[in-house]
Amino acid sequence: MKILVFAKQIPDVNQIQFDPRTNRILRENVPLSMNSFDRKAVEEAIRIKEKTGAETMVATMGPPQAKEILNDSLRMGIDRAYLITDRKFGGSDTLATARILSSLVRRISPDLVLMGKYSLDGETAQVPPEVAVFAGYAFKSSIAKIEVEEDGKFLTAEHENENGTEKLRIPLPAVLSVSEKINRARAVKPDTPDRYVEIEELDSEKLGIGFTGAEFSPTVVTGTRKLESAREVEMIDFDDSVYEKVYQLISQNRKDSGGKRQVTLGNAEPGADTILGVVLGDPQLGREISSKVSELALAHGLKAVLFGNVDPEGQNFPAHEYYLYPEIRVEAFTDALTEFIREKKPKYVVFPSTVHGRETAGTIAARLEVGLTADCVDIEITDSRLVQHKPAFGGGIIASIYSRTDPQMTTVRPGMFMVAESNVQPRVFEVGYEPGRVYETLEKTAVPGEYRPLGSSDVVIGIGRGIKKRDQIPKVLELAGLLDASLGATRPLVDMGFIPRQQQIGLTGVSISPGVYVSVGVSGMANHVVGIRYCKKVISINRDPQAPIFGFSDYGIVADANEFIEGFTSYLKKQTS
């Protein structure tokens, strides 16, 4: 068995600087290292090797200094390494990068390709599915466990998504992207010798690539800007009135507190271009996407169309038409949506930025060889171009991007668009595409029902190390229930098994954007606060008046986390009794 790992050298996103005069990112003197998810992919390849005797390889695309992470991988225990480097590859976007990487896959024909689920500098999650398409391999993302079957024709994999985990049987050859949970990468002993001389360099000629990265890249970055924090913390005394003040702040800043916008969709003009919104599994996110799609349709004379697997009855999705494909299996849904896009030829397509939404969008982008921008926080149409505003480098930089190909496609982050209600219901058409390749589901494990998805609520409570015992979690869940809120946590609490990994907020978890984020006992380390940049209001409770979290908050309270939770819970119970 042969296993190939693709790894990427990235800058420390917490040390990236920005030049306000030139609006350019300054990378000089910023430490470089292997993307942490990719290091876990390297570790997993070595573990499979140790069990089965597999041959392992690692490759990276980049300048000569990227040899550092290849040397690290070899010292960890990988057998062979390749540096894909050529000036012709400069300017490659995700689609071009995937095309170049897939040429190595076709050259050496590994049975299994492993990658991190995304790189922390870009967070697109697009390269893995696109490599799989170009290589003709099966694909699944966010894998937390891998077991290769004895016959070498299948593997079983534990796939994580917002709703829980699925144990799947996937045919080989396959490309898998791995999640945070899959393992803890080993440290390299200091006396382990370097292996730079073993690294083989591959250029465009050796890989048989006749295009340049810039030529094959459909997306164009038109500008970048630094996201400046406008938060100035207002400290609230921890006295008898504190709970009433916090409750008022939460009530005032819920995004739905002022009611929903109304949108009036008239008939689309004959021959109007189509903007297509994808509704995939999550009705709330479907409402957000359909609301933005209808807003853009009204402003630019477009036809607003939805394609989804959520029954539209009672959902009040604003759109002219809704095409229902009631298939929950993502592979089949992706095949059907690909054919629908080929038939209907929409001008713009908007996907949800969820685990399954990213899988679907990346796969379709590669199949159609079109541009895709991931995890956008806003989109607009200017001169017929879908301008997409995407966070990068941990959310501290916003890039404005458009695509030179149609359809122009994007995935959008949950919680960014205000929900609107329509005056009429869309015309509904049920479509019947034959399911394509699907993976056998062996087992499903849902996230316990008390943990609402982080993107589904307009209030999120986040807990940190101030919550020291597992038996305190039910008390926080009770508070979340009283506030109709989701519960999230920092990585240490997730690593200790206090709450499910789907609830982790931060750089290696998820970014959130509710109306109100209440952090309780959270210190405010950089890896966590990058996940809360887009919250409307942040209220923080910490017993340390110098806690860094107060520098990223609108309101702060110096108090013990558990005392606050118990006191606020008692206050809310009295309000409802």
Side-chain angles (χ1 to χ4, degrees):
M1 182 180 190
K2 292 194 291 187
I3 304 173
L4 172 63
V5 181
F6 283 121
K8 183 180 180 183
Q9 187 182 56
I10 64 169
D12 184 336
V13 298
N14 295 313
Q15 296 191 44
I16 287 288
Q17 299 296 314
F18 190 80
D19 187 338
R21 295 181 298 104
T22 63
N23 283 342
R24 294 178 64 88
I25 299 165
L26 301 177
R27 302 170 184 256
E28 292 78 11
N29 302 317
V30 176
L32 300 171
S33 62
M34 190 188 309
N35 180 51
S36 63
F37 288 119
D38 297 341
R39 183 175 291 277
K40 289 177 178 288
V42 170
E43 172 67 26
E44 192 63 20
I46 297 170
R47 293 189 184 196
I48 297 173
K49 168 189 168 180
E50 292 168 345
K51 289 181 181 178
T52 67
E55 179 186 4
T56 58
M57 296 158 278
V58 64
T60 191
M61 186 175 106
Q65 60 263 35
K67 285 184 177 181
E68 292 291 338
I69 67 169
L70 298 178
N71 181 56
D72 287 347
S73 301
L74 291 168
R75 293 176 73 222
M76 286 174 68
I78 291 289
D79 299 315
R80 293 159 54 194
Y82 301 93
L83 174 65
I84 302 172
T85 187
D86 195 314
R87 289 187 179 276
K88 290 183 179 180
F89 299 156
S92 295
D93 69 358
T94 55
L95 191 73
T97 298
R99 173 67 86 181
I100 293 165
L101 296 182
S102 68
S103 68
L104 179 60
V105 177
R106 292 192 299 272
R107 174 185 168 120
I108 64 178
S109 299
D111 302 285
L112 178 61
V113 179
L114 297 179
M115 308 174 75
K117 69 176 182 178
Y118 56 72
S119 63
L120 297 179
D121 57 340
E123 301 182 51
T124 68
Q126 290 169 201
V127 174
E130 292 178 345
V131 167
V133 170
F134 290 138
Y137 279 33
F139 172 71
K140 203 64 189 174
S141 70
S142 199
I143 299 299
K145 187 176 182 180
I146 299 171
E147 293 288 342
V148 179
E149 296 185 7
E150 289 186 6
D151 63 4
K153 295 181 179 179
F154 288 86
L155 58 80
T156 57
E158 185 179 291
H159 162 72
E160 295 181 322
N161 57 62
E162 290 82 2
N163 299 315
T165 60
E166 296 176 292
K167 187 176 182 181
L168 303 172
R169 190 167 187 256
I170 300 172
L172 293 172
V175 176
L176 303 180
S177 69
V178 303
S179 72
E180 176 77 10
K181 183 182 176 182
I182 193 164
N183 59 48
R184 184 181 294 274
R186 68 193 67 189
V188 179
K189 295 180 180 179
D191 60 350
T192 305
D194 289 327
R195 297 174 61 184
Y196 290 102
V197 295
E198 302 175 42
I199 298 171
E200 181 179 350
E201 293 192 18
L202 301 172
D203 59 14
S204 58
E205 183 176 351
K206 289 181 179 178
L207 291 173
I209 295 173
F211 60 84
T212 68
E215 286 174 342
F216 196 77
S217 297
T219 57
V220 178
V221 179
T222 61
T224 56
R225 60 183 174 86
K226 185 176 182 181
L227 181 65
E228 300 286 356
S229 176
R231 302 190 197 276
E232 293 185 10
V233 66
E234 176 185 332
M235 301 305 294
I236 300 173
D237 291 336
F238 189 54
D239 56 22
D240 292 342
S241 64
V242 65
Y243 303 120
E244 181 180 357
K245 290 177 181 177
V246 172
Y247 181 63
Q248 288 177 349
L249 288 171
I250 291 173
S251 301
Q252 291 165 3
N253 289 287
R254 299 187 87 114
K255 288 181 181 176
D256 60 0
S257 60
K260 293 181 174 65
R261 295 182 299 122
Q262 298 293 319
V263 59
T264 302
L265 278 174
N267 294 326
E269 292 293 328
D273 286 330
T274 295
I275 181 167
L276 176 65
V278 178
V279 182
L280 181 52
D282 185 340
Q284 171 61 24
L285 187 47
R287 284 188 287 271
E288 293 173 17
I289 288 175
S290 62
S291 297
K292 188 64 177 181
V293 163
S294 64
E295 174 190 313
L296 293 172
L298 277 171
H300 299 279
L302 304 171
K303 184 178 182 180
V305 176
L306 303 176
F307 184 100
N309 61 3
V310 174
D311 187 342
E313 181 69 29
Q315 298 294 347
N316 200 12
F317 293 131
H320 292 109
E321 296 174 355
Y322 186 104
Y323 289 83
L324 174 63
Y325 183 64
E327 172 62 73
I328 63 172
R329 294 173 296 180
V330 176
E331 296 78 32
F333 183 89
T334 302
D335 289 345
L337 181 54
T338 303
E339 292 308 307
F340 182 84
I341 291 172
R342 284 176 172 152
E343 291 174 13
K344 300 297 184 180
K345 295 180 171 54
K347 180 81 171 172
Y348 316 101
V349 186
V350 183
F351 297 83
S353 190
T354 58
V355 171
H356 289 156
R358 286 175 162 188
E359 281 187 13
T360 299
T363 299
I364 293 175
R367 287 174 176 174
L368 303 181
E369 294 193 2
V370 298
L372 171 66
T373 304
D375 207 28
C376 293
V377 295
D378 197 11
I379 54 176
E380 58 187 328
I381 295 175
T382 304
D383 297 329
S384 296
R385 289 175 173 169
L386 185 67
V387 182
Q388 303 146 63
H389 302 286
K390 174 191 168 41
F393 298 101
I397 304 296
I398 300 293
S400 298
I401 303 171
Y402 73 87
S403 178
R404 297 181 294 191
T405 51
D406 287 343
Q408 300 169 49
M409 306 205 311
T410 182
T411 68
V412 295
R413 181 178 294 188
M416 300 314 302
F417 304 134
M418 185 179 295
V419 171
E421 293 183 340
S422 177
N423 60 309
V424 294
Q425 296 299 304
R427 287 178 293 163
V428 178
F429 305 90
E430 188 161 339
V431 293
Y433 294 97
E434 286 296 321
R437 177 170 62 181
V438 295
Y439 306 140
E440 181 183 358
T441 301
L442 305 176
E443 185 179 312
K444 283 188 176 184
T445 305
V447 175
E450 61 265 33
Y451 293 98
R452 298 175 57 176
L454 290 170
S456 70
S457 176
D458 200 48
V459 178
V460 174
I461 298 174
I463 54 176
R465 291 180 183 237
I467 305 300
K468 301 184 183 301
K469 297 180 180 179
R470 190 186 301 270
D471 61 11
Q472 294 166 326
I473 299 301
K475 298 177 182 179
V476 191
L477 283 168
E478 182 181 15
L479 175 61
L482 291 168
L483 289 172
D484 194 24
S486 298
L487 177 62
T490 58
R491 177 175 170 176
L493 269 68
V494 171
D495 286 347
M496 290 188 291
F498 279 21
I499 72 172
R501 191 162 296 278
Q502 285 83 353
Q503 309 305 115
Q504 181 181 329
I505 301 168
L507 190 61
T508 54
V510 298
S511 296
I512 59 173
S513 50
V516 184
Y517 175 59
V518 184
S519 80
V520 186
V522 173
S523 62
M525 294 295 98
N527 284 356
H528 177 73
V529 297
V530 298
I532 64 172
R533 292 181 187 272
Y534 294 95
C535 301
K536 181 180 174 184
K537 293 293 180 183
V538 177
I539 305 169
S540 295
I541 297 90
N542 196 293
R543 68 188 304 170
D544 179 6
Q546 303 302 317
I549 190 66
F550 291 132
F552 301 92
S553 305
D554 299 285
Y555 302 95
I557 301 166
V558 177
D560 176 77
N562 296 295
E563 185 179 353
F564 177 85
I565 290 167
E566 291 182 7
F568 197 21
T569 301
S570 296
Y571 170 83
L572 293 172
K573 285 181 175 179
K574 291 177 183 177
Q575 301 306 303
T576 56
S577 62

